[in-house]
Amino acid sequence: MCLNHFLEATSVITLRPHQNPHTKTLSPFWWEFVLPMAATTRALFLSCFHGGSDASGHLALRSRYPSMPRRPRSAVVAGEGAGSSGGGGDLEAAEEEEEKVAVFAVSGMTCAACAGSVEKAVKRLPGIHEAAVDVLGGRAQVAFYPASVSVSIGEEKIKETIEDAGFGAKLIDEEVKEKSILVCRLHIKGMTCTSCASTVESALQVVPGVQRASVALAIEEAEIRYDRRVISATQLIHAVEETGFEAILVTTGEDQSRIDLKVHGILDERSIMIVKSSVQALPGVEDIKVDTELHKLTISYKPDQTGPRDLIEVIESATSGHVTVSIYPEADGREQHRNEEIRQYKNSLLWSLVFTIPVFLTSMVFMYIPGLKNGLDKKVINMMSIGELLRWILSTPVQFVIGRRFYTGAYKALCHISPNMDVLIALGTNTAYFYSVYSVLRAATSENYMATDFFETSSMLISFILLGKYLEILAKGKTSEAIAKLMDLAPETATVLMHDNKGHVVGEKEIDSRLIQKNDVIKVVPGGKVASDGFVIWGQSHVNESMITGESRPVAKRKGDTVIGGTVNENGVLHVRATFVGSESALAQIVRLVESAQMAKAPVQKFADQISKVFVPLVIVLSLLTWLSWFLAGRFNGYPKSWIPSSMDSFQLALQFGISVMVIACPCALGLATPTAVMVATGVGASQGVLIKGGQALESAQKVDCIVFDKTGTLTIGKPVVVNTRLLKNMVLREFYDYVAAAEVNSEHPLAKAIVEHAKKFHSEENHIWPEARDFISVTGHGVKAKISDKSVIVGNKSFMLSSHINVPVEASEILVEEEDKAQTGIIVAMDQEIVGIISVSDPIKPNAHEVISYLKSMKVECIMVTGDNWGTANAIGKEVGIEKIIAEAKPEQKAEKVKELQLSGRTVAMVGDGINDSPALVAADVGMAIGAGTDIAIEAADIVLMKSNLEDVITAIDLSRKTFFRIRMNYVWALGYNILGIPIAAGVLFPSTRFRLPPWVAGAAMAASSVSVVCWSLLLRYYKRPLITQERQSYTSG
C-alpha cells in the first residue's frame, strides 16, 4: 500500500513537478528553486505549527499536493481561486470570509507516503483550502471554509476521511483564521529628508487597522500591513495626504491582477456599455474602469480564472471587430513617477537659472566692469539703483514661483510639528530676500541710505538646492538598477503553439509576453528567452539560468524538467507549458523579495532617525544664536570695525553668518546614508544569486564571527551514492538488492533513494516492480523494517540492529569503522534476525568546500559542523574540509540549542542549511542562510537565500555585507563630519583669525553636494566583485 502511495505522490502533476522517466524522482532543480518560490505562501500558512517539545513541533510542514478549487460557486467571495496562486503574503489576504483551521492527531503513519495519502484524501473534500501533514509529529492541519463545509460536521467529516484512509484521527485543536490582512504599497511624493519619512510613518502607524508601516526615503515608498475589514487603501492614501504629502497607490496587496488596455477605435456610450457588460460576465473579473479620454481600460481580475488574452478576445468580439485592443504602452508606475519628478526638477532648475544667472552677474561680475558698473549704480528713486531694482525683479519669481515647493513643504511640516529641510531652506532664503527688500525700499525712501541687498543669496541658494535635488534623484534612480535589470529579463514577445483536440500542433502565434496565460504551450527557439515559468513537454536543450540563479553553467533540460521565465535557451527547441505567469513567476517573486528587502530598515538607521527628530530645531536655534552673537558683538564693539566688509554693516555681517548656518546644515545626507547602501547591496546580491532580506540581515551578517554548517546538502553535494557492498553471507548480489530495495522504496530518506537507484542497475527494464513490502515500519533516524516475500528484512544503523535484538558481529563492526574513516555511511542489512551485508553510501564533498572553510578562517570566522550523521562519518568529513569543531548525531532541536549556546557565549552566529530539519536552527541564528534554495520552509526561515548550491556564496554574503556596512559607516562619517565641521565654519569661527567667511549661497551649494555625495558613495557598491578563491588561503580585505 505504501509503495502505491509513494508512486502516486511522485506522479502528481497539478503543479507540474514532472519526473525524470529514467529515475522516477523529481527534477532536482524543481526542489531547489521553483517549488520553494511557488510555495512561499504555503510555508507562511504552515508556520503556526511551531512549538511543542519534540522535533516536529518546531517545524513548519511542507504540503506535497497542490490546492485545487474546492468551494462551490455559491461560496465564492472576492478571494476565489487564491488557493493556488503564488502571491506571497498577498494570498492570505485575498479572502473576505472566515477560514477555520483544525489540527488532528493522526496515528498509524510510518512514512512520508502515508502522510501524502492522508493529505491527498483530505484535499479531495469540498471546501478544503489547504492541508498539511507532519509524519514525525503525527499531526495534520486542515484549513477549510465554513461557508462550504457545515461547521457542525466539518471536523467530523475530515476525521472520518482520515480514518477511511486507514489511519486513526482525533481533533486536538481548532481556530478561526481571518483572511483579511493585506500589504499595501504607496509611492509618496514630496519627502525630502528622514524627518519627512518619520512623519508619514508615524501618521500611518496610529491609523486604526494598520498593523505595521514602513517608509523608505530612498525609494519614496511606504509598505503598510493593514486589516481591510477596518480600513481601506483609499483611507490610507488619505492619511498620508493629511500629513502634507502626495500618495499614489502602487498595489493594494489583493490577490488579483490588474491590466491596462489601450482601445483603438471609437468609444461611444453604447460601446462602453457593451464592453463593460461583456468583460464583467467573464469569471474572475473584479472591476473595470474606462477612461474615454485616454482610450484606456483598467481591468482587475483573478489570474486563476481568466487572463489578459481572454479579456482582449471578449472585447474585440463583443464590439464585432469595430475596436482593437492592446496592452497599454506605459512603463512601470514607479519609473513613471521618478521620470516625472526628474522632469519637474529639471524644468525648475532651468527656469531658476534663467533668472539667477543675471542676478549673479549683476551682483558679482558686472560690478567690476567700469561701464556696466556705472549703469547699474545709476539711481532710480532716491538711493535705489538700477542694479538693485533688477535683482529684486529677477529674484522674486525664483523665490515665490520656482521656490514654491519649499514653502509648501515647510508649511505642511510645521503644521505637523515636524520641521524638515524645507523649513531651513524657506527660513534662510526668506531672511535673505525680505531683508534685501527692506534695504532696497529704505534706500528708495531715503536720500542718504546706501542699500546692501542679498538677492543673489536667495536666488542662488534655491538654484543650487534644486541642482542638488536633481542630481540626487538621478543617483537614487540608479540604486534600484538591479531590480530594473531583473524586470527587463522577461522577453517582449512569445510564440504560443495552437493544438487540436488530439494534442497535435496545428499552428503558432507570436503574442506579447504579458498576454501569456496558465497552461499555454510556448515555443522557445535556440538563443531565445523562456517567456514564462513552466515545464518542458517536448524537446531537449541546455538553458542558461545565470541571470536568475547566478549559476554560470548551462543546465540540461528535457521532457518534464522545469524552466524559469527570463532564462536563455542555448540550443535545441523546447515546448514549455506555462505554470506560473505574471506576479506568480519566479522572476516576479525575486523582484518582490528584493523590493521588500529594500523597504526593511537596518537597526543602524535608528541612529539617523533619532538625530533627525532634533536636527532641524537645533539648527534653527544655532542659527539664531549665531546671528545674535555676531550682532551683539558688533553693537558693543566686541571686534574691530575693520573686520566688517566695506559693503555691509555689523547687522548685515551677523545676518550672513546666521543664514549660512541655517542653509549649510543637511539632514538629508544622514537620512540617505543607510537606505541607499542597503538598496544597492540587495540589488547587487540578487544579481549574483544571493537574496538578502533587508537591512537587518545585512547588519547581522557583517558581524558574523561563527558559522554553523549542516553537513548533508551543504558541505556535501546532497546526493548520496552507493560506493561499496560487503556481503557477510552467501547470496546473489541481485537478490540481496531486491530485498533491500523493496524495503527502502517506501522511505523518503536520501540514503534510501540512493540504495534504490543502485538496485535498479541490476535490472534491464526501466520501471522494475519491486516485491511487495508488508508490515512496513520506518523509524526516523534509524532505519526501516518490512516483510519481503518470506523474509523479515531490517535495514538501518548499528543502534537500530541492537534495539531489534540482532547481534552485530565483530567483522561487521570493523567494516563500519573502516567505512566511517573514509567519510562513508555504513548501512547494515539483516534478514531473519541475521546480518547478511553492509552497504557503504557516500555523499561526496563539494569540490570547493575546503577552500571556502580556509577562506572563512582567514576572515576570522570560526566554522562548526553540526550533523545528524554518526560521529565517525562526521569526523572524517570535518577533517577533509578543515573543520575542527564537530557535533554529530544531533536532532533538529539540538542544532538550534547549539546555536543558542554560541550566542550566549557572545558570538554572532550564522547557520547554513538546506532542509526542513535545519529550520529551527536557521530561525535561532543571528543570520540564517538557506543554501541551494533548499526547501520552501528553509527559505522562509532564512535571512539570506543562496540560490545556488555553491558554498562560495556564503563568503559572498558575508563579504558583501561587510563592504556595505563599510560604505554605511563612511556615509555617516561624512554626513556627521560635514555638519560638525560645516556649521562652525558657517557660523564664523575662522573669521577672527583668517577673515574667511562662507557666503550663504556657497553654504547652500555645500549642503546640496553633501547628500549627492552620500548617494554616489553608496552607488560604488554597484561595482562590487565577489572574492575569488584561487588558492587554499587568500588574504581578506574588508574595504
Side-chain angles (χ1 to χ4, degrees):
M1 177 179 176
C2 284
L3 174 61
N4 293 333
H5 292 165
F6 176 75
L7 293 176
E8 284 179 9
T10 54
S11 65
V12 173
I13 59 171
T14 309
L15 279 178
R16 303 292 181 183
H18 270 230
Q19 298 171 327
N20 183 320
H22 298 291
T23 64
K24 271 189 177 294
T25 58
L26 300 182
S27 169
F29 193 72
W30 170 265
W31 296 112
E32 292 178 0
F33 182 76
V34 180
L35 180 59
M37 285 298 180
T40 300
T41 307
R42 179 172 297 163
L44 288 171
F45 157 77
L46 295 170
S47 63
C48 59
F49 262 109
H50 289 229
S53 58
D54 61 347
S56 63
H58 296 279
L59 305 181
L61 308 178
R62 180 176 58 187
S63 171
R64 273 164 295 281
Y65 292 94
S67 296
M68 294 178 281
R70 298 285 186 258
R71 287 177 287 165
R73 187 66 192 167
S74 60
V76 175
V77 200
E80 175 67 21
S84 59
S85 88
D90 301 344
L91 177 62
E92 283 194 343
E95 306 295 337
E96 288 183 355
E97 62 191 288
E98 283 186 348
E99 178 184 290
K100 200 165 188 178
V101 179
V103 181
F104 298 85
V106 182
S107 58
M109 294 190 297
T110 57
C111 64
C114 297
S117 182
V118 172
E119 187 177 313
K120 193 173 183 181
V122 170
K123 282 195 169 185
R124 284 174 176 158
L125 290 172
I128 300 298
H129 174 237
E130 187 58 278
V133 182
D134 175 13
V135 67
L136 299 177
R139 293 192 297 173
Q141 177 173 277
V142 183
F144 60 95
Y145 298 97
S148 301
V149 181
S150 173
V151 180
S152 60
I153 63 168
E155 295 88 341
E156 189 61 32
K157 181 64 177 174
I158 295 167
K159 179 174 176 290
E160 288 174 5
T161 302
I162 296 173
E163 290 172 344
D164 289 344
F167 305 94
K170 180 183 177 183
L171 180 66
I172 58 174
D173 188 24
E174 60 182 324
E175 61 177 312
V176 174
K177 192 175 183 181
E178 294 287 345
K179 297 295 185 180
S180 57
I181 305 303
L182 300 180
V183 178
C184 169
R185 294 177 78 95
L186 303 176
H187 177 78
I188 300 174
K189 299 175 70 174
M191 294 192 298
T192 57
C193 62
T194 313
S195 180
C196 301
S198 299
T199 300
V200 176
E201 193 171 289
S202 300
L204 286 169
Q205 285 174 339
V206 298
V207 174
V210 172
Q211 296 185 353
R212 186 186 69 244
S214 178
V215 178
L217 174 65
I219 58 176
E220 296 180 328
E221 281 195 11
E223 185 178 81
I224 309 112
R225 184 179 175 86
Y226 69 102
D227 188 337
R228 69 171 174 185
R229 295 170 301 176
V230 180
I231 192 169
S232 66
T234 305
Q235 290 170 306
L236 291 173
I237 292 173
H238 182 65
V240 172
E241 290 175 343
E242 282 188 338
T243 64
F245 301 95
E246 183 182 350
I248 300 168
L249 183 66
V250 177
T251 174
T252 61
E254 293 185 32
D255 186 34
Q256 60 183 22
S257 296
R258 187 177 66 181
I259 189 170
D260 293 327
L261 301 176
K262 177 77 172 179
V263 179
H264 306 275
I266 299 173
L267 267 183
D268 52 26
E269 288 186 11
R270 182 174 176 276
S271 299
I272 293 172
M273 184 187 70
I274 292 172
V275 167
K276 275 191 168 184
S277 58
S278 301
V279 170
Q280 286 173 339
L282 281 173
V285 172
E286 295 287 313
D287 185 37
I288 177 171
K289 294 177 182 176
V290 182
D291 188 327
T292 53
E293 292 184 5
L294 298 176
H295 278 237
K296 179 179 178 182
L297 298 176
T298 301
I299 303 171
S300 299
Y301 63 94
K302 294 291 181 180
D304 283 342
Q305 299 179 42
T306 190
R309 207 161 66 249
D310 292 340
L311 296 171
I312 290 175
E313 288 173 1
V314 165
I315 293 169
E316 290 182 346
S317 62
T319 55
S320 303
H322 293 305
V323 300
T324 57
V325 184
S326 61
I327 299 286
Y328 200 83
E330 61 182 14
D332 173 66
R334 276 166 288 196
E335 191 66 27
Q336 277 188 310
H337 299 319
R338 184 180 292 114
N339 291 337
E340 177 62 19
E341 195 172 19
I342 289 171
R343 186 189 65 79
Q344 289 178 359
Y345 270 108
K346 183 179 180 181
N347 290 340
S348 295
L349 174 62
L350 292 175
W351 278 109
S352 178
L353 291 176
V354 167
F355 294 100
T356 300
I357 290 174
V359 172
F360 170 76
L361 292 175
T362 58
S363 62
M364 302 285 189
V365 179
F366 294 166
M367 299 306 292
Y368 299 99
I369 301 175
L372 293 175
K373 182 180 185 302
N374 294 335
L376 293 172
D377 285 344
K378 188 175 181 180
K379 308 303 177 186
V380 181
I381 304 173
N382 289 332
M383 297 300 291
M384 183 176 70
S385 66
I386 292 175
E388 291 162 355
L389 181 60
L390 280 175
R391 288 193 289 274
W392 184 8
I393 294 170
L394 290 169
S395 63
T396 298
V398 178
Q399 183 70 32
F400 297 108
V401 179
I402 298 169
R404 182 175 178 271
R405 67 175 68 239
F406 302 118
Y407 284 99
T408 305
Y411 171 75
K412 292 173 180 176
L414 291 174
C415 285
H416 293 88
I417 319 175
S418 58
N420 58 9
M421 190 190 77
D422 289 334
V423 173
L424 296 179
I425 296 169
L427 281 174
T429 56
N430 275 332
T431 302
Y433 178 84
F434 285 109
Y435 175 79
S436 301
V437 170
Y438 159 77
S439 181
V440 170
L441 288 176
R442 184 176 173 186
T445 58
S446 172
E447 295 182 357
N448 54 15
Y449 178 79
M450 292 291 294
T452 302
D453 67 88
F454 300 121
F455 287 121
E456 81 285 351
T457 296
S458 65
S459 56
M460 289 177 72
L461 255 177
I462 289 172
S463 296
F464 273 114
I465 289 166
L466 288 172
L467 173 62
K469 293 298 292 182
Y470 174 65
L471 295 175
E472 181 185 319
I473 292 169
L474 286 176
K476 282 198 294 186
K478 295 183 182 295
T479 60
S480 55
E481 201 172 66
I483 289 182
K485 286 181 179 178
L486 281 172
M487 296 177 76
D488 288 343
L489 289 176
E492 291 184 1
T493 61
T495 302
V496 175
L497 298 177
M498 309 298 177
H499 293 79
D500 59 20
N501 295 332
K502 296 181 180 179
H504 299 132
V505 177
V506 295
E508 59 183 54
K509 180 181 180 182
E510 187 172 351
I511 63 169
D512 189 310
S513 62
R514 291 171 293 180
L515 297 177
I516 296 173
Q517 299 179 177
K518 286 185 179 180
N519 295 320
D520 281 346
V521 177
I522 305 161
K523 179 181 176 182
V524 187
V525 298
K529 286 185 177 181
V530 179
S532 170
D533 291 2
F535 62 91
V536 179
I537 62 171
W538 181 86
Q540 58 183 19
S541 180
H542 285 78
V543 175
N544 182 356
E545 298 177 341
S546 61
M547 62 289 299
I548 300 291
T549 67
E551 181 61 64
S552 57
R553 291 172 297 181
V555 182
K557 301 291 181 182
R558 57 186 301 172
K559 184 178 179 181
D561 289 339
T562 55
V563 291
I564 312 166
T567 55
V568 178
N569 183 25
E570 299 255 320
N571 48 41
V573 178
L574 295 176
H575 291 180
V576 176
R577 186 175 297 280
T579 53
F580 300 106
V581 298
S583 61
E584 296 180 359
S585 67
L587 182 60
Q589 292 189 57
I590 291 172
V591 170
R592 277 204 301 275
L593 190 151
V594 176
E595 286 178 337
S596 295
Q598 293 179 347
M599 291 294 301
K601 291 184 179 180
V604 71
Q605 196 171 335
K606 294 176 183 176
F607 170 69
D609 292 343
Q610 293 297 322
I611 293 177
S612 69
K613 291 178 182 178
V614 297
F615 188 87
V616 173
L618 181 62
V619 168
I620 294 172
V621 171
L622 288 174
S623 177
L624 291 172
L625 288 175
T626 300
W627 169 78
L628 187 62
S629 299
W630 280 102
F631 174 69
L632 292 176
R635 177 60 61 90
F636 297 105
N637 300 315
Y639 57 83
K641 298 291 184 184
S642 59
W643 287 12
I644 304 174
S646 58
S647 60
M648 62 180 69
D649 56 25
S650 61
F651 176 84
Q652 294 165 344
L653 179 65
L655 188 64
Q656 274 213 347
F657 282 129
I659 294 172
S660 294
V661 169
M662 193 171 293
V663 297
I664 198 171
C666 183
C668 296
L670 278 171
L672 293 169
T674 299
T676 51
V678 169
M679 281 184 68
V680 179
T682 50
V684 168
S687 68
Q688 302 203 21
V690 179
L691 301 182
I692 303 168
K693 296 183 180 179
Q696 172 76 60
L698 268 173
E699 184 164 348
S700 298
Q702 59 99 19
K703 299 175 184 175
V704 166
D705 55 12
C706 178
I707 298 182
V708 177
F709 287 94
D710 176 46
K711 179 180 74 70
T712 306
T714 303
L715 292 172
T716 64
I717 292 174
K719 295 177 182 177
V721 292
V722 175
V723 293
N724 193 18
T725 308
R726 306 278 284 272
L727 295 180
L728 304 181
K729 298 293 179 182
N730 290 325
M731 65 184 304
V732 178
L733 191 60
R734 172 173 168 170
E735 181 185 353
F736 169 81
Y737 269 106
D738 281 350
Y739 280 109
V740 177
E744 291 283 33
V745 75
N746 298 296
S747 174
E748 289 279 306
H749 197 283
L751 296 181
K753 291 180 179 179
I755 292 172
V756 173
E757 286 301 312
H758 186 73
K760 288 178 181 178
K761 296 177 182 178
F762 293 93
H763 298 276
S764 57
E765 63 269 28
E766 186 176 321
N767 298 315
H768 180 71
I769 299 175
W770 305 107
E772 183 183 359
R774 292 176 287 108
D775 302 330
F776 176 82
I777 297 174
S778 175
V779 181
T780 305
H782 293 278
V784 298
K785 296 180 180 181
K787 287 279 186 182
I788 312 293
S789 299
D790 57 340
K791 293 184 182 291
S792 172
V793 179
I794 301 178
V795 185
N797 55 27
K798 185 176 180 179
S799 63
F800 191 39
M801 297 298 152
L802 295 174
S803 65
S804 301
H805 308 293
I806 298 174
N807 181 47
V808 180
V810 175
E811 183 184 1
S813 297
E814 289 175 351
I815 293 172
L816 289 174
V817 172
E818 183 184 330
E819 297 304 319
E820 288 173 0
D821 289 340
K822 297 177 185 176
Q824 296 172 0
T825 302
I827 299 173
I828 304 173
V829 179
M831 297 184 187
D832 295 332
Q833 294 298 105
E834 189 177 8
I835 293 178
V836 297
I838 296 176
I839 300 171
S840 298
V841 179
S842 174
D843 186 3
I845 293 172
K846 289 181 178 176
N848 61 346
H850 188 274
E851 289 78 6
V852 169
I853 300 301
S854 296
Y855 195 87
L856 286 169
K857 289 178 180 177
S858 73
M859 295 168 70
K860 296 182 172 56
V861 176
E862 182 184 5
C863 297
I864 299 172
M865 184 175 75
V866 180
T867 177
D869 209 339
N870 64 72
W871 277 100
T873 304
N875 283 325
I877 288 178
K879 184 178 180 180
E880 193 168 340
V881 300
I883 295 178
E884 293 86 17
K885 196 168 183 179
I886 297 165
I887 299 166
E889 299 178 5
K891 295 178 180 179
E893 67 270 21
Q894 291 172 329
K895 293 182 182 181
E897 288 169 7
K898 182 59 187 175
V899 168
K900 291 173 184 175
E901 284 178 20
L902 291 166
Q903 290 170 328
L904 289 173
S905 66
R907 312 298 293 274
T908 302
V909 184
M911 171 69 194
V912 184
D914 72 327
I916 294 176
N917 63 341
D918 299 321
S919 298
L922 288 171
V923 172
D926 296 290
V927 182
M929 297 186 190
I931 192 169
T935 65
D936 52 330
I937 296 158
I939 284 177
E940 284 307 309
D943 302 297
I944 298 174
V945 179
L946 311 177
M947 295 175 64
K948 296 175 288 179
S949 291
N950 191 345
L951 273 176
E952 289 183 19
D953 287 343
V954 175
I955 295 174
T956 301
I958 295 175
D959 184 65
L960 177 59
S961 67
R962 290 185 178 183
K963 284 184 167 63
T964 301
F965 267 78
F966 171 75
R967 300 280 176 190
I968 290 173
R969 281 191 286 269
M970 290 299 100
N971 279 345
Y972 278 125
V973 167
W974 166 249
L976 287 172
Y978 161 81
N979 284 291
I980 291 170
L981 293 176
I983 290 175
I985 292 172
V989 293
L990 300 179
F991 189 69
S993 57
T994 63
R995 303 295 182 274
F996 174 80
R997 60 188 175 89
L998 205 62
W1001 63 271
V1002 175
M1007 184 268 284
S1010 67
S1011 56
V1012 174
S1013 61
V1014 163
V1015 177
C1016 291
W1017 180 246
S1018 295
L1019 281 174
L1020 290 176
L1021 278 169
R1022 288 193 303 161
Y1023 306 105
Y1024 169 80
K1025 300 293 182 185
R1026 67 173 65 207
L1028 296 176
I1029 305 177
T1030 55
Q1031 53 190 14
E1032 186 171 296
R1033 298 184 72 86
Q1034 182 173 335
S1035 61
Y1036 176 72
T1037 304
S1038 64

